[in-house]
Amino acid sequence: MATKTKKKVSKAKKVTPSKASFKFKPTKIQLLRPVPSNIEVAQAAKLKPITQMAGEYGIRENELDLYGAYKAKIKLEILERFKNKPNGKYIDVTAITPTPLGEGKSTTTIGLAQALGAHLGKKAVACIRQPSLGPIFGIKGGAAGGGYSQVIPMEDFNLHLTGDIHAITAAHSLVSAALDARVMHEKKQDDEKLFDALCPPDKKGKRKFSPTMLRRLKKLSINKTNPDDLTAEEKRRFARLDIDESTITWRRVVDINDRFLREIQVGLGKDEVGFEHRSGYDITVASEIMAILALTTSLKDMRERFGKMVVATSKQGEAVTVEDLGVAGAVAVIMKEAIKPTLMQTLEGTPAMVHAGPFANIAHGQSSIIADMIALKLVGKDGYVVTESGFGADIGMEKFFNIKCRYSGLTPHVVVMVATVRALKMHGGGPKVVAGKPLPSEYTDENLGLLEKGLENLERHIQNATKFGVKVIVAVNSFATDTDAEVELIRKSALRFGAMDAIKCTHWADGGLGTKKLAEAVVKAAEAKSKFDFLYPLDSSIKEKIETIAKEIYRADGVDYTPEAEEQIARYTKLGFTQLPICMAKTHLSFSTDATLKGAPTGFRITVREIRASVGAGFLYPILGTMSTMPGLGTRPAFFDIDLDTKTGKVLGLF
């Protein structure tokens, strides 16, 4: 088969920054037609040394930990240097309810940042999540963007990066091991032997408490620091956690879509006879440790949050924490490098910060507060930070506002709502799409009637965003098959629904140039007055908060609770966890808990199956319907296409 010749179309224009102190120089890109695969575009890109990239935005070399020539971690000390510098404008990119077709939210995030920096001469930083290996080798693919709006090196971005997710897997596994071992040892030993094992005498016969043990003593209101001074009753209270095994909520994690680990039996070795029990695996990005990485604000805060993670309750009904297990300090040690955001760059040389990677349908779905804090200082009051919320606005954006913004104290200025013609057609009742098969004609031919029916999904998302008092700009991520009439119908409808503007975007094919008008609209919207507020107060009850989200965001008629969920709500209320915000785990494919209900469904109820307490992260975690916290592999996963050129060392088949 003859191959098509790729033609050079245009080059990005060089922009002279408005201020002499701003040293940023855009990277010129060559736009080819047809657009090559994502990995071909990325591997042909011109990369700045990361030290140059950092220097252009005022980051000093001694504030970096280099990971090769093109990526580096940023030390948190930079926040102290910039503490008096004003923040820039804060932009959240979200989307309509996603479909299997993909709406290009990450690509839009990168394209917008490229447009702001390389085409409008603004200081701009994109903050995005690190992708999980599960979807990469499964079906979804990576999260580096696509076409001419990507973060590079793309292979590094999608494969391991600087090892943060591996650190989370190790830290989480350490807690799992510590928990099961503690249950076993407490059953095998009486109070005296247990205390002696925890506080053994040294060669001189002296005992001492470790730092984490002193924290437990403080929790117990035992004001003694010498182990020999404790009474028999104090020794018992200190040493025996007395875990009620039926209340254990801490599972195991692995960063692969391994459906056969969802429910497992552990303790089958000969030395663990009598201690067999059921357990299970979640995907690593669903770990509470990942959520903490995304929501922490400092090394000290992270250490405190790790200690507060609840793994079970005692037989006396008290919360048992990772601090009680004595492993919180070790977890912090494993995570001490992971807390630093990774600095990378886009195809057009604008900076991107990559940090944390919680899923939005399982966890809260945001990149880290720390990355946003650093980026907002780097760009200053006239600059822009573009961050992305996972999946649709009913999940990612809602959690961005109600969870992330509560803990960061940062105020968002604009929401960019990504939509596509073909996704809206699917929400209007278009036929099912099967991965790898040609699209039905309804998606490639003009069909205004089908599109109009699907616009109810966009309308509801815009209404939800404006409930928070934030301005909305719709980004119509356009494909070659879209017609002018279809795009215009979306534009007019979006304005009628309450958006400030709706812009056709071609950033996949044209890079930042294809989102220049979007960037101009965002700049204008960011200057407009807004009054951001949360959806619910924290002093509402657990059920009140759940039902507010269900009714106000999903438009459910009501909420039902399983007996297990009712028992957990009662337990968490008794333990004093009612002040925490809510992080719903639900399907991302519908406003409802039924993935087949497209558009803007009404007349449904949602069922809360169970609730987990992520106290260290700072939220309660209701699991709705049949939602799973461990994805599975299909018959034909993406790993079939991924390989290595052993002569050049290049990665092949990665999107």
Side-chain angles (χ1 to χ4, degrees):
M1 183 182 292
T3 57
K4 294 182 180 180
T5 303
K6 294 173 180 176
K7 300 178 181 179
K8 297 180 181 179
V9 180
S10 64
K11 295 183 179 180
K13 295 180 180 180
K14 184 176 180 180
V15 177
T16 302
S18 58
K19 293 184 179 181
S21 58
F22 184 23
K23 301 176 182 178
F24 169 69
K25 295 181 180 179
T27 301
K28 296 178 181 179
I29 58 173
Q30 295 180 337
L31 305 176
L32 303 179
R33 299 291 186 269
V35 178
S37 70
N38 291 345
I39 195 166
E40 288 177 311
V41 171
Q43 289 177 344
K46 181 181 179 182
L47 285 147
K48 299 177 185 178
I50 201 64
T51 50
Q52 176 187 335
M53 173 82 266
E56 290 177 352
Y57 270 68
I59 304 172
R60 298 169 180 170
E61 286 195 41
N62 64 1
E63 292 170 331
L64 297 174
D65 285 333
L66 298 178
Y67 282 72
Y70 303 114
K71 57 184 183 291
K73 280 190 168 292
I74 303 176
K75 298 177 183 178
L76 271 55
E77 289 83 351
I78 196 171
L79 285 169
E80 178 63 24
R81 182 162 68 89
F82 284 132
K83 65 182 180 182
N84 295 322
K85 187 176 180 181
N87 288 337
K89 299 293 193 297
Y90 200 26
I91 317 301
D92 181 48
V93 178
T94 186
I96 62 171
T97 305
T99 69
L101 297 169
E103 281 51 73
K105 184 155 46 62
S106 297
T107 308
T108 304
T109 300
I110 304 308
L112 175 57
Q114 289 181 163
L116 287 165
H119 297 271
L120 296 187
K122 305 288 186 181
K123 272 194 169 184
V125 176
C127 290
I128 55 178
R129 291 170 295 162
Q130 178 184 351
S132 162
L133 290 179
I136 287 169
F137 292 122
I139 193 167
K140 180 179 181 293
Y148 288 104
S149 294
Q150 293 189 57
V151 174
I152 50 176
M154 185 261 261
E155 308 98 301
D156 293 11
F157 179 95
N158 286 310
L159 300 172
H160 307 290
L161 197 57
T162 50
D164 293 355
I165 294 180
H166 297 312
I168 292 165
T169 302
H172 189 110
S173 298
L174 180 61
V175 175
S176 301
L179 174 59
D180 282 347
R182 186 59 173 265
V183 171
M184 183 186 75
H185 290 308
E186 286 197 18
K187 286 184 176 180
K188 282 186 170 183
Q189 301 173 75
D190 60 29
D191 295 344
E192 186 176 350
K193 287 184 178 179
L194 187 61
F195 181 82
D196 288 343
L198 289 170
C199 299
D202 60 19
K203 293 180 179 179
K204 296 181 179 180
K206 292 186 177 181
R207 304 174 188 267
K208 67 176 182 178
F209 291 121
S210 67
T212 188
M213 289 177 175
L214 293 172
R215 288 172 182 251
R216 173 159 171 76
L217 289 166
K218 184 177 180 180
K219 173 184 174 180
L220 297 172
S221 299
I222 299 174
N223 301 313
K224 297 176 182 178
T225 58
N226 184 346
D228 294 327
D229 292 342
L230 269 64
T231 66
E233 174 59 18
E234 289 171 338
K235 289 180 180 179
R236 186 198 65 77
R237 290 178 58 216
F238 164 78
R240 194 162 296 280
L241 302 182
D242 209 17
I243 293 169
D244 180 351
E245 294 171 66
S246 69
T247 67
I248 291 176
T249 54
W250 192 267
R251 289 158 58 88
R252 288 156 165 79
V253 297
V254 65
D255 194 38
I256 294 294
N257 293 358
D258 195 340
R259 63 173 71 241
F260 284 91
L261 291 178
R262 287 171 178 167
E263 297 294 332
I264 62 171
Q265 186 82 357
V266 298
L268 301 182
K270 63 181 179 63
D271 294 332
E272 289 75 43
V273 172
F275 297 98
E276 306 91 341
H277 61 277
R278 291 183 65 82
S279 185
Y281 274 80
D282 298 331
I283 195 160
T284 297
V285 289
S287 169
E288 184 175 356
I289 295 174
M290 172 63 87
I292 287 174
L293 181 67
L295 291 170
T296 192
T297 54
S298 68
L299 197 61
K300 180 181 179 182
D301 176 68
M302 184 175 75
R303 170 62 181 83
E304 295 298 321
R305 285 174 178 266
F306 287 154
K308 292 177 182 177
M309 294 189 296
V310 174
V311 296
T313 55
S314 70
K315 293 174 183 176
Q316 294 73 41
E318 298 172 342
V320 178
T321 67
V322 171
E323 199 73 71
D324 293 326
L325 288 174
V327 73
V331 168
V333 168
I334 293 174
M335 294 294 296
K336 72 181 182 68
E337 296 302 313
I339 195 175
K340 304 171 187 175
T342 300
L343 179 66
M344 299 183 75
Q345 62 192 283
T346 70
L347 285 167
E348 297 191 58
T350 56
M353 286 196 196
V354 186
H355 202 211
F359 284 176
N361 59 344
I362 297 176
H364 71 293
Q366 315 294 323
S367 61
S368 78
I369 287 175
I370 283 179
D372 290 356
M373 288 168 60
I374 294 174
L376 286 163
K377 294 299 183 185
L378 290 176
V379 301
K381 67 181 181 68
D382 296 322
Y384 298 82
V385 170
V386 184
T387 191
E388 176 193 358
S389 295
F391 290 122
D394 59 314
I395 299 180
M397 182 197 72
E398 183 270 315
K399 295 174 182 178
F400 173 74
F401 291 151
N402 283 321
I403 299 175
K404 185 176 181 180
C405 289
R406 282 189 198 271
Y407 287 119
S408 69
L410 300 172
T411 302
H413 293 83
V414 181
V415 163
V416 174
M417 186 78 65
V418 181
T420 62
V421 168
R422 60 189 195 181
L424 289 169
K425 286 180 177 179
M426 180 173 284
H427 285 296
K432 183 179 180 180
V433 173
V434 180
K437 291 187 177 181
L439 288 176
S441 60
E442 286 86 346
Y443 299 113
T444 55
D445 298 340
E446 182 174 283
N447 192 326
L448 296 177
L450 190 61
L451 175 62
E452 188 163 19
K453 289 179 181 177
L455 283 167
E456 63 179 5
N457 186 270
L458 175 63
E459 179 180 17
R460 184 174 291 182
H461 284 299
I462 292 173
Q463 290 174 349
N464 285 347
T466 56
K467 283 183 179 182
F468 292 90
V470 180
K471 304 298 181 184
V472 179
I473 304 293
V474 173
V476 183
N477 183 19
S478 189
F479 293 80
T481 55
D482 299 346
T483 68
D484 290 342
E486 289 173 328
V487 174
E488 181 62 12
L489 176 59
I490 296 174
R491 190 190 71 81
K492 287 183 177 179
S493 299
L495 295 178
R496 190 173 74 252
F497 298 154
M500 278 191 69
D501 209 341
I503 310 293
K504 177 182 177 179
C505 302
T506 59
H507 43 289
W508 180 82
D510 299 322
L513 193 63
T515 43
K516 186 177 179 182
K517 289 184 179 179
L518 175 66
E520 291 169 345
V522 165
V523 169
K524 182 179 178 181
E527 295 300 329
K529 289 184 178 180
S530 60
K531 190 178 180 181
F532 172 71
D533 199 7
F534 302 112
L535 187 67
Y536 53 79
L538 289 181
D539 58 6
S540 299
S541 70
I542 294 172
K543 282 189 175 182
E544 285 173 339
K545 283 180 277 201
I546 291 172
E547 289 163 16
T548 297
I549 296 170
K551 293 176 181 179
E552 293 292 324
I553 301 298
Y554 309 154
R555 307 298 204 279
D557 288 345
V559 181
D560 301 313
Y561 303 87
T562 65
E564 181 182 8
E566 291 280 12
E567 186 276 329
Q568 289 163 334
I569 289 172
R571 186 194 315 157
Y572 297 150
T573 300
K574 182 180 178 182
L575 290 170
F577 299 160
T578 57
Q579 293 290 317
L580 297 176
I582 297 296
C583 183
M584 299 283 222
K586 68 178 283 287
T587 178
H588 55 289
L589 296 173
S590 174
F591 275 106
S592 73
T593 54
D594 181 352
T596 65
L597 294 181
K598 303 300 181 186
T602 57
F604 65 91
R605 298 179 67 84
I606 66 171
T607 298
V608 176
R609 189 176 84 232
E610 64 174 293
I611 302 179
R612 301 178 188 176
S614 294
V615 180
F619 54 71
L620 296 179
Y621 173 11
I623 299 178
L624 310 185
T626 58
M627 181 67 204
S628 173
T629 51
M630 168 58 83
L633 291 175
T635 305
R636 211 285 189 185
F639 61 64
F640 276 92
D641 299 313
I642 299 171
D643 214 320
L644 187 68
D645 185 328
T646 56
K647 291 183 179 179
T648 64
K650 282 190 174 183
V651 175
L652 306 173
L654 195 63
F655 332 117

